[in-house]
Amino acid sequence: MGGTLRRVFAPIRIRGVEIPNRIVRTAHLTKLGMGLVSEDLIGYHAARARGGVGLSIMEATAVHPSSVLGLIGYDDSVIPMYAKLMDAIRPLGMRVFQQLWHGGHVYPPPGGRPMRGASALPGPVTGLPAVPIGTEEVGEFVAAYAAAARRSAEGGLDGIEVAASHGYLMHQFLSPLTNTREDRYGGSLENRMRFLAEVLTAIRQAVGPDMPVGVRMGAGQIAGDLDEQTVADVAQRLADRGLIDFLNASMGDYYATHWMMGGMDRPAGYMLPSSGKITGSVTSVPRIVTGRFRTLEEAEQVLRSGAGDLVSMVRAHIADPDLVRKTRDGRAAQVRPCIGCNQGCIARTSGVDLRLGCTVNPAIGREKTHGDDAIGTTVSPRRVVVVGGGPAGLEAARVARLRGHHVALYEGFDQLGGALNVARRAPKTQGLDDILDWYKTEMKRLGVECHLSAPLEAGDVVALGPDTVIVATGADPTVDGRLIAAPGEVVDGIDSPGVRTSVELLTGPAPAAGSHALVVDDVGQYEAVSVAEYLLTRGVDVTVATRLPAFGPLVDAAMRMTVALERLNSGPAGFTVLTRVTLARVRPGQATVRSLVGAADATVPADLVVLVTYKASRSRLAAELAGRVPDVRLVGDALAARDLQVAIREGNDAARRIA
Ligand SMILES: Cc1cc2nc3c(=O)[nH]c(=O)nc-3n(C[C@H](O)[C@H](O)[C@H](O)COP(=O)(O)OP(=O)(O)OC[C@H]3O[C@@H](n4cnc5c(N)ncnc54)[C@H](O)[C@@H]3O)c2cc1C
Ligand SMILES: Cc1cc2nc3c(=O)[nH]c(=O)nc-3n(C[C@H](O)[C@H](O)[C@H](O)COP(=O)(O)O)c2cc1C
């Protein structure tokens, strides 16, 4: 490294506590324990501690039963759980702080009880009004924060952070937009920050003089919300009164969620234009900055710029727990990149459970058994043939090779990547390039024999004499004209020359600028969004027709839809969305969609109709191999078309299970 990461690896003291380096993981909800500090949660953090992280802030912890998310911090039963966590983490050197949280009018308690907020304003997520916390009741909440802090201290944690960011209760008190109170907690800035100051004072009394206590704050991004100057003023006043030992600067709230965890379209440090204004003016306490940092070089640059004293890398560490260790050891190229898709972590779209996931890291939440460290080398290497060089096949080949098997991968196309090579033709998909580049580098590093332009039939596979075959042959778009809303009908005119699948569109010649396209989205995922953006950037007028109540609802869950819509609406051509409709008829130059909710049919200009439909798995090869080779495993879209996260996980699991 030649000293180039000098600042990253310089320890820093926050109050009495030494943080071994400048890399932080700020709080992030995992649900790995569903409220409790479970073995999985301990394993998750321990893996990042072993990986060299300096400081981790535990996920939002509820201080009061009137708002619940993350861990339950309002009961003494959390104390022995913390102690167990710290027994595992302390020897590894990582410091652990606890974020204390109340969601205010954002997150309701279970059971239909009302939300509690600074004012009666409806929350931006549920649209329901909160019951304002009464003036005399504030003391109960102050005590709740202090009690939760005491539990953290008794459990052996190293520090406390109060969540005063992201539109949660404390932010609601600070913001003139959400605090309309007329008592001593509303009105002037001094009044609006009184609750926070009282909480910090009570926390100090509860935890004693040595424990670091800080705040997370950031500006909102809509008119009238907290601005950077106000946040900086609050932080400075708190610092001047000795109430905070660090400031963790963030950005955004639930009125503009996409700023909180920017997707793959955002550059490293994308929050700095906002958060940097805060950290630029409050310099008397250590400052943490965040926002899609993925490499230690990027972190070093930020530290050098003076914008922060510590750099948070949350999703980067979800993707690779060993980021720091690998980089420190000169193996930065081996760091598995976060692709900023937000599908596994925030949207948790795997459909399997509601725990923290990761599209590119299948070991998430099961580090002890599935981390790369736990792969182990086989004593009886097998000949493994992987058919298909998409993400499922690449991950299977990687893991089988790490286990010491002889691996040969056959890809019918002339390059590795499978459907990623199609997906990455759309704009704003840099993350897909990143993960593909990583797999290509890993194939070379591990010495996986990759045969390109090598489509295999069953006979070819048998002739190779493998012990195990992993079939990862992907899926084809369905073109039978049967759409989900009306599976008993075939769309009239589906065979017209102007009809194409999304894959044909993205891999074929671009349509002429000025033409009109109808994109039929039967799925509700990223693919139709990609198709619409691809067309619009080429000057094609786009109408999206979907059977769903909104365009891209599943992308919305990943906090990527608002920005995508902003781009689509400001593109060089027209963009229209028709919801709750299905394609009924295609004619030269036009198409007709039928309403699913009793409205009139609509005929729209369409030189081109692009179908984004579910895909049919290419599983034939696996069926033909059954009984002809000793062991056949079908994974990824070839088993059932789903997404990247599942493809990678199944490739990983299949390779691990080879005897
Ligand atoms: C436009 C588009 C956008 C997408 N965007 C996203 C996204 O944002 N997020 C997400 O999670 N998912 C996305 N996906 C889906 C994702 O790319 C797939 O789910 C994933 O690639 C499936 O991986 P796989 O390895 O199972 O199959 P594939 O990626 O399809 O790979 C299969 C490979 O097998 C090869 N093959 C097939 N038969 C043979 C044979 N007989 N011999 C040799 N090779 C063979 C094929 O050439 C292909 O390269 C998108 C897909 C598309 C088309
Ligand atoms: C799954 C997930 C859950 C999160 N939960 C919290 C939380 O509980 N409290 C909080 O302050 N921030 C939370 N965040 C925001 C992160 O702390 C961080 O600011 C954000 O991910 C941007 O940093 P990154 O680009 O390094 O991932 C969460 C982020 C993710 C991805």
Side-chain angles (χ1 to χ4, degrees):
M1 256 169 332
T4 51
L5 298 177
R6 193 168 54 80
R7 288 173 178 79
V8 163
F9 287 109
I12 183 170
R13 286 191 94 74
I14 303 184
R15 209 167 178 99
V17 171
E18 180 161 297
I19 315 291
N21 62 49
R22 304 303 179 95
I23 300 305
V24 183
R25 294 158 64 233
T26 45
H28 52 291
L29 179 70
T30 67
K31 291 201 173 167
L32 291 176
M34 297 308 285
L36 308 176
V37 183
S38 64
E39 287 294 337
D40 284 351
L41 186 66
I42 294 173
Y44 171 69
H45 287 294
R48 275 92 194 147
R50 264 193 303 280
V53 171
L55 168 66
S56 289
I57 303 178
M58 297 287 286
E59 65 197 82
T61 285
V63 298
H64 193 272
S66 56
S67 186
V68 180
L69 182 79
L71 301 175
I72 303 290
Y74 51 78
D75 192 286
D76 278 355
S77 58
V78 75
I79 298 170
M81 294 191 251
Y82 281 146
K84 200 167 169 199
L85 169 83
M86 292 314 291
D87 284 348
I89 305 280
R90 195 167 297 293
L92 301 170
M94 182 175 82
R95 296 299 192 162
V96 185
F97 290 4
Q98 175 62 70
Q99 181 178 71
L100 300 183
W101 173 95
H102 188 293
H105 71 179
V106 173
Y107 277 97
R113 282 178 288 138
M115 293 179 291
R116 306 305 309 275
S119 308
L121 202 73
V125 177
T126 61
L128 298 171
V131 175
I133 294 173
T135 309
E136 303 315 320
E137 223 186 339
V138 172
E140 177 193 330
F141 284 81
V142 170
Y145 276 92
R150 171 192 50 84
R151 291 179 192 110
S152 305
E154 285 180 16
L157 269 67
D158 298 303
I160 300 292
E161 172 182 279
V162 174
S165 52
H166 301 140
Y168 297 129
L169 181 65
M170 211 53 94
H171 180 141
Q172 286 158 40
F173 270 83
L174 292 174
S175 173
L177 191 68
T178 46
N179 183 342
T180 56
R181 301 173 73 99
E182 293 177 350
D183 61 2
R184 62 179 185 272
Y185 297 100
S188 67
L189 182 59
E190 196 52 41
N191 277 358
R192 284 185 274 123
M193 64 180 280
R194 189 181 309 282
F195 179 30
L196 178 55
E198 287 178 1
V199 162
L200 291 166
T201 306
I203 287 177
R204 172 60 63 215
Q205 279 164 6
V207 301
D210 301 327
M211 197 174 201
V213 176
V215 281
R216 187 163 215 200
M217 288 198 285
Q221 298 300 313
I222 61 163
D225 206 343
L226 266 187
D227 59 19
E228 289 83 5
Q229 185 54 53
T230 311
V231 174
D233 278 356
V234 173
Q236 193 60 60
R237 290 182 200 197
L238 295 173
D240 291 347
R241 291 171 205 173
L243 290 176
I244 54 169
D245 304 311
F246 68 93
L247 168 64
N248 179 359
S250 182
M251 178 182 187
D253 57 24
Y254 284 77
Y255 290 106
T257 49
H258 53 286
W259 288 108
M260 295 197 281
M261 297 116 191
M264 64 175 80
D265 53 305
R266 303 275 188 196
Y270 78 91
M271 289 191 195
L272 288 177
S274 170
S275 62
K277 286 187 194 147
I278 302 164
T279 56
S281 59
V282 183
T283 53
S284 51
V285 291
R287 301 145 308 153
I288 303 172
V289 290
T290 191
R292 215 160 138 56
F293 293 111
R294 290 173 310 152
T295 67
L296 295 193
E297 285 75 13
E298 288 167 356
E300 181 75 15
Q301 271 182 35
V302 176
L303 295 171
R304 200 176 301 144
S305 75
D309 305 295
L310 298 106
V311 179
S312 173
M313 302 174 74
V314 170
R315 286 168 294 171
H317 275 98
I318 292 176
D320 194 331
D322 292 322
L323 187 156
V324 174
R325 184 170 58 165
K326 284 180 181 171
T327 311
R328 194 184 48 212
D329 298 349
R331 296 183 290 130
Q334 288 176 33
V335 174
R336 181 174 26 220
C338 163
I339 64 174
C341 67
N342 286 351
Q343 290 175 217
C345 56
I346 295 160
R348 298 187 272 285
T349 50
S350 72
V352 176
D353 50 40
L354 285 175
R355 292 152 49 100
L356 181 74
C358 177
T359 292
V360 297
N361 177 8
I364 197 90
R366 45 181 198 166
E367 285 64 18
K368 277 191 185 159
T369 50
H370 285 72
D372 276 4
D373 284 351
I375 282 181
T377 315
T378 181
V379 286
S380 44
R382 308 275 181 210
R383 277 164 303 164
V384 178
V385 167
V386 177
V387 189
L394 289 165
E395 177 68 8
R398 184 186 80 88
V399 173
R401 188 70 200 108
L402 278 175
R403 291 199 61 210
H405 296 299
H406 308 292
V407 186
L409 181 150
Y410 292 82
E411 165 54 49
F413 198 49
D414 63 1
Q415 48 185 304
L416 296 174
L420 286 181
N421 284 317
V422 182
R424 58 200 271 271
R425 292 179 191 229
K428 303 289 177 192
T429 54
Q430 295 89 330
L432 304 181
D433 285 330
D434 293 344
I435 190 64
L436 186 49
D437 287 348
W438 181 76
Y439 272 121
K440 286 179 182 169
T441 309
E442 284 289 278
M443 292 301 107
K444 280 206 187 96
R445 179 177 77 84
L446 297 170
V448 173
E449 230 181 76
C450 289
H451 303 265
L452 299 179
S453 304
L456 296 190
E457 296 293 336
D460 304 323
V461 177
V462 174
L464 291 168
D467 298 311
T468 289
V469 182
I470 296 179
V471 178
T473 42
D476 287 311
T478 48
V479 286
D480 61 2
R482 292 178 192 276
L483 299 177
I484 292 175
E489 299 169 18
V490 173
V491 172
D492 181 5
I494 194 74
D495 295 328
S496 308
V499 179
R500 288 193 217 168
T501 66
S502 51
V503 175
E504 286 165 343
L505 174 81
L506 291 168
T507 54
S515 58
H516 296 269
L518 176 71
V519 176
V520 179
D521 181 14
D522 222 20
V523 182
Q525 259 292 15
Y526 34 75
E527 200 172 328
V529 180
S530 286
V531 163
E533 270 205 277
Y534 173 87
L535 288 165
L536 272 164
T537 50
R538 279 155 184 80
V540 177
D541 229 63
V542 174
T543 303
V544 171
T546 176
R547 68 188 169 88
L548 297 161
F551 180 34
L554 300 169
V555 185
D556 207 24
M559 296 188 182
R560 282 165 56 197
M561 201 56 204
T562 302
V563 263
L565 284 170
E566 280 170 6
R567 289 194 299 267
L568 290 164
N569 284 318
S570 60
F575 172 65
T576 312
V577 177
L578 304 173
T579 57
R580 293 192 189 271
V581 294
T582 191
L583 179 64
R585 195 166 49 247
V586 183
R587 292 286 178 267
Q590 65 180 44
T592 301
V593 294
R594 190 175 71 230
S595 169
L596 297 170
V597 288
D601 288 0
T603 296
V604 297
D607 307 301
L608 184 66
V609 174
V610 186
L611 299 176
V612 182
T613 54
Y614 278 99
K615 298 198 171 54
S617 56
R618 296 188 199 114
S619 56
R620 184 176 53 86
L621 184 64
E624 290 173 1
L625 287 171
R628 297 176 69 190
V629 292
D631 180 26
V632 185
R633 286 143 201 262
L634 185 61
V635 295
D637 277 6
L639 174 61
R642 283 150 296 163
D643 62 16
L644 209 46
Q645 176 171 344
V646 183
I648 291 175
R649 188 173 61 210
E650 287 179 357
N652 186 294
D653 286 353
R656 276 170 195 276
R657 288 200 201 105
I658 297 170

